[in-house]
Amino acid sequence: MTDPELQPFFDATPLLDTPAALISRLRTDGYLYLRGVLPVADVAAVRRHVLAVADHAGWLLPATSTTADAADPPADPQNAVWDPAPGYRAVHRRMWTHRDVHALMHHPRLLSLLTTLTGHVDLLVHPRKVLRAVHPRPAATAATPAGGGWHQDFPEIQGTHNTLTVWTPLAPAGPGTGALAVLPASHLGGVLPLRLASTAVGWEADVYPQRAHTGHVDPGDVLIFTAHTVHRGTANTGRSLRLSLDVRYQPAAEPVNETCLELRDEPFGWDSVYDQWPARTADPLAYYWQRHTRLDVVLYDQRFDQWREQTALTAGERADPRARRALEITAAYSAPPAATRAATLLRALPAPRNT
């Protein structure tokens, strides 16, 4: 499969003072790239916390005297680890539970912008913020898939189709250091079928794009896109961790999936998160979504997961090497008997060859 031609993001920043034009652009392209929405100082505070945790875990090389290294220190390739390895998840939890990580995505500038884009003053910010800290690697190999593959958010978040995602880097990101790439106007096709792939999640949307938009994104910049917009993280072939946050926003009166509010797949709950905050559960961000009095919380539709599990297991039975990553995800996150069967099939697959 040929990689799509990469073109620069359309810079919608000049449209910020013209809401109608901004909304029209989002409806046409399925995304908005906007510069300088978040205060750089606030982003830097979150980055310092994340890097301090990474440094304590041994993920970083010793600091040098250069200013560039102080702000964006190189990662130690000898200690690289990826999700879902237990060593990664333990470190990631210490990064993610910090209050500043959650507070950044409630900044008034961002909430005002999302109120404009959704047309709803009563806005629900999903509490499950997604913090990504991805180690660099020189190139993708069969053993260590490099990127997330082309995908849409809706099969995971479900709920209303009017959810918007905001992605923002904590450190400068470009096409070779983990910036997102999007397929313009891809949201117009609705929810797309999936195929097995050697990506970080084992799947990708069944698309063969001719062109994609990407570019250099600085701390404070945001990329906003719909739940149906096809996108992916580009490979991080640089020297530093790829650090970013992405969060979902939706009209509070519309359906929200239960899994977007709860921590069912984590070995801890919200109370243990808030216990680490100075004001604990008295903090205004603690359980803030429960103050929306009429949330329409809907059950998670398991058909997406069941189809992926069964497809991965069937491919594993055929010893299809494309199923490796999907089987790893099934073994790590699914319940028995699917998880047990996936682990058995993984052991029977031929060892991957590095390329």
Side-chain angles (χ1 to χ4, degrees), residues 50-66:
V50 171
L51 289 176
V53 175
D55 189 37
H56 186 265
W59 286 9
L60 306 180
L61 291 171
T64 70
S65 59
T66 66

Side-chain angles (χ1 to χ4, degrees), residues 115-139:
T115 296
T116 297
L117 294 176
T118 62
H120 289 262
V121 175
D122 192 11
L123 195 67
L124 174 64
V125 184
H126 288 197
R128 295 199 63 164
K129 282 73 175 174
V130 181
L131 170 66
R132 304 184 194 274
V134 182
H135 288 263
R137 45 188 149 207

Side-chain angles (χ1 to χ4, degrees), residues 28-258:
T28 300
D29 287 349
Y31 83 91
L32 295 170
Y33 165 59
L34 301 167
R35 291 179 284 107
V37 171
L38 290 168
V40 173
D42 291 14
V43 179
V46 175
R47 180 174 64 245
R48 284 194 297 271
H49 157 70
V50 171
L51 289 176
V53 175
D55 189 37
H56 186 265
W59 286 9
L60 306 180
L61 291 171
T64 70
S65 59
T66 66
T67 301
D69 274 3
D72 194 21
D76 186 347
Q78 299 303 314
N79 289 326
V81 61
W82 288 271
D83 192 24
Y88 176 89
R89 294 183 67 79
V91 175
H92 182 271
R93 177 180 174 179
R94 293 195 294 274
M95 295 174 174
W96 182 83
T97 53
H98 197 278
R99 186 187 188 278
D100 287 353
V101 170
H102 296 259
L104 178 65
M105 305 308 281
H106 290 259
H107 193 278
R109 292 184 192 172
L110 200 52
L111 296 184
S112 176
L113 174 60
L114 270 295
T115 296
T116 297
L117 294 176
T118 62
H120 289 262
V121 175
D122 192 11
L123 195 67
L124 174 64
V125 184
H126 288 197
R128 295 199 63 164
K129 282 73 175 174
V130 181
L131 170 66
R132 304 184 194 274
V134 182
H135 288 263
R137 45 188 149 207
T141 68
T144 56
W150 296 114
H151 66 282
Q152 299 169 302
D153 284 349
F154 185 79
E156 298 300 326
I157 61 174
Q158 301 180 20
T160 177
H161 289 270
N162 293 321
T163 298
L164 294 176
T165 293
V166 176
W167 179 87
T168 189
L170 301 179
T177 53
L180 286 193
V182 300
L183 302 185
S186 57
H187 63 305
L188 302 175
V191 180
L192 301 174
L194 301 174
R195 62 170 177 256
L196 287 166
S198 297
T199 64
V201 296
W203 300 92
E204 65 180 350
D206 194 13
V207 294
Y208 298 90
Q210 299 299 308
R211 64 188 180 99
H213 290 185
T214 189
H216 185 86
V217 187
D218 286 317
D221 299 349
V222 298
L223 190 67
I224 302 174
F225 49 91
T226 79
H228 292 163
T229 303
V230 179
H231 60 285
R232 73 178 181 188
T234 60
N236 180 11
T237 58
R239 59 174 198 152
S240 304
L241 296 174
R242 176 214 184 206
L243 303 175
S244 65
L245 272 169
D246 51 278
V247 181
R248 280 80 195 175
Y249 301 77
Q250 67 167 80
E254 298 185 14
V256 57
N257 191 274
E258 59 182 347

Side-chain angles (χ1 to χ4, degrees), residues 233-285:
T234 60
N236 180 11
T237 58
R239 59 174 198 152
S240 304
L241 296 174
R242 176 214 184 206
L243 303 175
S244 65
L245 272 169
D246 51 278
V247 181
R248 280 80 195 175
Y249 301 77
Q250 67 167 80
E254 298 185 14
V256 57
N257 191 274
E258 59 182 347
T259 60
C260 295
L261 306 177
E262 302 171 3
L263 297 175
R264 291 186 179 181
D265 56 349
E266 299 290 354
F268 56 90
W270 285 113
D271 277 351
S272 66
V273 175
Y274 301 142
D275 281 346
Q276 302 175 53
W277 295 8
R280 308 182 81 168
T281 54
D283 192 292
L285 287 181

